[in-house]
Amino acid sequence: MKDALPEFPCPYCGHEAWGLAWLSFRSGALTPVVCGHCRVLFNANWVDGCWMGRMTEAEWPGALAAFVLMKAEVLRGERE
């Protein structure tokens, strides 16, 4: 089940406090996860897509991982 957790931090708060959401979904549905810091419900594909969209919007020339690292630090600083 650990592989169901998103690869990147939360796009809203920048924290990586992921936990599985204990909700009842039909089989075959994407596994929901919740950010333990801001309590927003996601699934791993949505988190990755959100970061990709923000990187494209910012016209970031580098890798996605570098963009996420930079933006997550900014988000954590703003919310603490």
Side-chain angles (χ1 to χ4, degrees), residues 47-57 64:
V47 171
D48 294 348
C50 184
W51 280 116
M52 286 287 286
R54 289 183 183 184
M55 183 181 80
T56 303
E57 185 178 286
L64 177 61

Side-chain angles (χ1 to χ4, degrees), residues 12-62:
Y12 285 105
C13 70
H15 287 84
E16 294 187 62
W18 297 117
L20 295 176
W22 296 102
L23 301 174
S24 177
F25 283 88
R26 293 187 319 243
S27 63
L30 294 171
T31 304
V33 295
V34 64
C35 175
H37 188 262
C38 68
R39 304 290 186 212
V40 178
L41 187 69
F42 300 101
N43 69 54
N45 291 340
W46 191 93
V47 171
D48 294 348
C50 184
W51 280 116
M52 286 287 286
R54 289 183 183 184
M55 183 181 80
T56 303
E57 185 178 286
E59 298 178 2
W60 180 262

